[in-house]
């Protein structure tokens, strides 16, 4: 059963994840330039790694909710990834759009597997 303390903590930790996503995305995007959404790519790959680590650590249900759902869930962004991919295709940048999907999925799966491996060793 989820406690009141957990419910009260979810928005706080989720807010931290969202702020960190914004900062990482902006920092990477400023340094990379161009139309390709490198900021979102870095956020989602690092989030997959972190979620893999958390899964490998076999956290308690409350800690998994707070760390995985609240923090990582608000840190990563599926909707922005899809919107940016759609924007690339609208701008007729088909290869970058396809690369955004393929690279994100391949690196995300690899990062999650690596994180799981690391988390099981902590």
């Amino acid at each position: 059963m989820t406690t009141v303390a957990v419910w009260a903590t979810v928005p706080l930790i989720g807010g931290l994840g969202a702020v960190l996503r914004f900062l990482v995305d902006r920092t990477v995007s400023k340094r990379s330039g161009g139309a390709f959404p490198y900021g979102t790519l870095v956020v989602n790959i690092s989030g997959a790694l972190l979620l893999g680590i958390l899964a490998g650590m076999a956290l308690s249900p409350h800690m998994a909710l707070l760390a995985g759902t609240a923090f990582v869930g608000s840190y990563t962004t599926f909707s922005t990834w899809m919107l940016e991919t759609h924007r690339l295709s609208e701008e007729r940048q088909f290869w970058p759009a396809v690369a955004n999907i393929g690279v994100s999925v391949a690196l995300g799966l690899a990062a999650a597997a690596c994180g799981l491996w690391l988390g099981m060793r902590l």
Side-chain angles (χ1 to χ4, degrees), residues 93-110:
Q93 297 184 45
F94 297 116
W95 287 117
V98 169
N100 193 32
I101 294 169
V103 169
S104 293
V105 170
L107 290 180
L109 288 171

Side-chain angles (χ1 to χ4, degrees), residues 65-105:
L65 174 68
L66 293 174
T69 304
F71 182 78
V72 179
S74 64
Y75 173 69
T76 57
T77 175
F78 179 81
S79 57
T80 301
W81 173 49
M82 287 293 98
L83 182 63
E84 290 170 342
T85 302
H86 184 264
R87 180 189 46 80
L88 287 169
S89 66
E90 278 185 333
E91 294 172 355
R92 301 211 178 274
Q93 297 184 45
F94 297 116
W95 287 117
V98 169
N100 193 32
I101 294 169
V103 169
S104 293
V105 170

